[in-house]
Amino acid sequence: MSAPAADPNPDPRVARIQEIKALYEEELLAKANVIGVGVGLRRKGGITTDEPVLVVLVSQKMPRVQLAEGDFVPDRIEDVPVDVQEIGFIRSHEDGSPALTSN
Amino acid sequence: MDEHIKIAQVKSQALAGLMRKPNVIGVGTGYKTSAGRKTGELCIVALVTQKIPRAGLDAASMVPKSIDGISTDVLQIGFIRAQQARTDRWRPALGGVSIGHYQVTAGTLGCMVRDRVSGERLILSNNHVLANSNDAKAGDAILQPGTADGGRAPGDVIAKLERFCPIQFSNAPATCGLAQAYADFGNMIARLLGSKHRVKVMFSDPQALNNVDAALARPLEGDDVLDEILEIGAPAGTTAAQLGMAVRKSGRTTGLTTGQIVVLDATLEVNYGTGTARFENQLVSGAMSQPGDSGSLLVAADSLAAVGLLFAGSDQATIFNPIARVLDCLDVSL
């Protein structure tokens, strides 16, 4: 359960995800509903796996048919796997902020 | 005849006198400890926050060696804080309790940090907790508890705003006094230089980038804030977040919660009510906070190393600034 302090052998997949993130970040953030992009772990059926992926953060997941062509997030960008993850409506967390309603 | 009854009688008679002594916070019965070992002898135990050598006490403050033939013992138990809510007034205060600028509802006191230049101890929390999202000036009153928890000036002022890292909002209107002041100053220079360009205070730059939402406050009295964080202890050093890392935080609203880092290096938009701001290099965990937890220090689950500073979240996720960037921006260390 101890987290590695400084990983002497960084996962090469993570470095590649960071590269792709830098290249495509603006394009992804311009899509409707996308509020963030990061390097994360794939989530499958509510469980976090140990597979590093490019994570695209959305406030709410939408069925593909409701999205315009340009707003659709692909499953993969070049050789990097992409996972769309719903994180709700992100608010600054001072008391009284309406952060518990998902917009 | 029954030793217990005799001790209880002597104890009840001596109670008021013992409790009047400075430093004594409780009285009970227990087995006497001699040279670090528990003996079989029942005695009256005086509970103190801190043991003081006899030489440092006057006769009236000293707990007598025996009372009516019953031995006494003095037991150090530290500060007792049971039953006290995080939204209460705490003196001394510590990490994990309510705090806020006098114009802010309430957030969380993160922890104490040290100025890298002067070595002074300062309170760490968010800009939007201690500096009203840029709309504040150094010296402003910081209340513990925050106003939403009944904190009022002057009685609950614990500190003064020291400095903060400004937040660049992407689409905030010109409601921010500090930004207006910057713009006015810039425009004055522009006029002096004969430039036709003037700065309008209407941030509309969607690329305006932030790394931290952080601020410092200087306690009025150093003794008023402890280095400890409630239910965690004193943080020691920092460590970089890793994917999958187990973490914990101690916050004003949800108390001690645990989680896991699920996204690193996140670039994301955060809503502040008055505007949105884009942040880079952020850490994302599953839901481990609610409104009022802003400013909590994120600590590794298996050590006392600081990992991040909580500042935003939803019902599904919590967002943190990486601690190294927080400390660098404010020029402080942990």
Side-chain angles (χ1 to χ4, degrees):
Chain A
M1 192 16 234
S2 77
D7 194 342
N9 299 306
D11 192 329
R13 292 176 296 179
V14 169
R16 178 65 183 148
I17 295 167
Q18 280 165 332
E19 261 176 46
I20 290 296
K21 172 178 170 282
L23 285 172
Y24 289 88
E25 185 169 275
E26 287 310 322
E27 192 181 315
L28 288 166
L29 285 166
K31 293 179 191 288
N33 208 20
V34 172
I35 59 168
V37 182
V39 179
L41 299 171
R42 185 187 291 285
R43 238 162 40 188
K44 229 173 191 167
I47 306 289
T48 301
T49 70
D50 58 5
E51 181 193 358
V53 291
L54 178 66
V55 172
V56 174
L57 302 165
V58 297
S59 45
Q60 200 174 12
K61 274 201 173 187
M62 307 263 277
R64 191 170 180 160
V65 291
Q66 286 182 20
L67 289 168
E69 179 92 0
D71 290 333
F72 180 70
V73 177
D75 294 338
R76 178 171 288 273
I77 298 177
E78 297 189 18
D79 55 335
V80 165
V82 175
D83 192 24
V84 177
Q85 296 182 3
E86 181 177 297
I87 60 165
F89 175 63
I90 301 293
R91 257 303 308 252
S92 55
H93 250 347
E94 72 278 14
D95 181 60
S97 64
L100 283 182
T101 56
S102 292
N103 220 5
Chain B
M1 128 202 113
D2 189 357
E3 205 187 354
H4 285 274
I5 292 172
K6 163 92 165 122
I7 289 178
Q9 277 172 356
V10 174
K11 192 198 98 182
S12 62
Q13 280 161 15
L15 183 65
L18 286 170
M19 291 296 285
R20 265 198 300 274
K21 296 180 187 293
N23 206 21
V24 173
I25 56 170
V27 178
T29 57
Y31 290 109
K32 188 169 173 66
T33 303
S34 186
R37 282 166 184 266
K38 211 155 253 170
T39 67
E41 183 189 359
L42 272 173
C43 69
I44 295 172
V45 181
L47 306 169
V48 298
T49 50
Q50 197 175 13
K51 269 199 170 184
I52 295 170
R54 283 189 169 261
L57 290 168
D58 56 46
S61 303
M62 225 174 270
V63 174
K65 290 206 171 200
S66 69
I67 301 171
D68 290 347
I70 303 292
S71 297
T72 66
D73 205 356
V74 177
L75 183 66
Q76 176 173 323
I77 56 166
F79 289 101
I80 297 296
R81 316 189 151 276
Q83 314 305 326
Q84 197 169 3
R86 290 163 181 267
T87 49
D88 287 346
R89 186 181 198 274
W90 291 69
R91 295 295 184 279
L94 72 177
V97 303
S98 171
I99 199 167
H101 181 272
Y102 74 98
Q103 289 177 311
V104 171
T105 50
T108 296
L109 194 166
C111 67
M112 293 304 278
V113 292
R114 278 179 190 281
D115 188 294
R116 284 177 186 166
V117 178
S118 68
E120 282 176 298
R121 292 170 75 245
L122 299 165
I123 294 169
L124 172 66
S125 186
N126 294 135
N127 173 330
H128 78 270
V129 172
L130 297 180
N132 196 24
S133 304
N134 302 341
D135 198 2
K137 54 185 192 304
D140 278 0
I142 304 298
L143 306 172
Q144 194 296 307
T147 58
D149 300 322
R152 297 288 177 268
D156 297 317
V157 176
I158 193 169
K160 301 240 159 146
L161 176 62
E162 179 74 11
R163 58 182 183 267
F164 58 93
C165 303
I167 299 167
Q168 308 291 323
F169 288 98
S170 311
N171 58 351
T175 53
C176 160
L178 189 71
Q180 186 64 57
Y182 282 141
D184 290 346
F185 183 65
N187 288 338
M188 186 187 78
I189 290 173
R191 273 195 303 277
L192 291 173
L193 295 175
S195 166
K196 288 194 170 64
H197 297 286
R198 295 289 185 272
V199 179
K200 244 196 266 170
V201 187
M202 179 66 199
F203 293 116
S204 58
D205 179 5
Q207 320 266 325
L209 285 180
N210 299 279
N211 282 291
V212 305
D213 176 342
L216 299 170
R218 177 196 298 264
L220 300 185
E221 302 287 342
D223 294 353
D224 277 351
V225 194
L226 302 176
D227 287 330
E228 280 77 18
I229 299 170
L230 202 55
E231 294 186 71
I232 288 181
T238 63
T239 190
Q242 309 274 334
L243 278 181
M245 184 188 225
V247 289
R248 56 188 167 147
K249 78 95 188 59
S250 174
R252 172 254 187 209
T253 310
T254 60
L256 184 70
T257 58
T258 58
Q260 191 187 22
I261 297 295
V262 293
V263 182
L264 290 174
D265 287 337
T267 303
L268 88 167
E269 304 281 344
V270 174
N271 189 309
Y272 278 78
T274 52
T276 63
R278 184 189 282 195
F279 285 81
E280 278 192 320
N281 300 301
Q282 303 303 295
L283 314 175
V284 183
S285 74
M288 54 187 287
S289 64
Q290 281 181 22
D293 285 329
S294 264
S296 305
L297 192 73
L298 184 71
V299 177
D302 59 353
S303 78
L304 289 166
V307 176
L309 186 66
L310 193 161
F311 78 109
S314 69
D315 51 355
Q316 296 171 67
T318 298
I319 317 295
F320 309 86
N321 307 143
I323 194 66
R325 287 180 187 269
V326 170
L327 300 179
D328 284 348
C329 180
L330 294 168
D331 207 16
V332 292
S333 55
L334 245 174

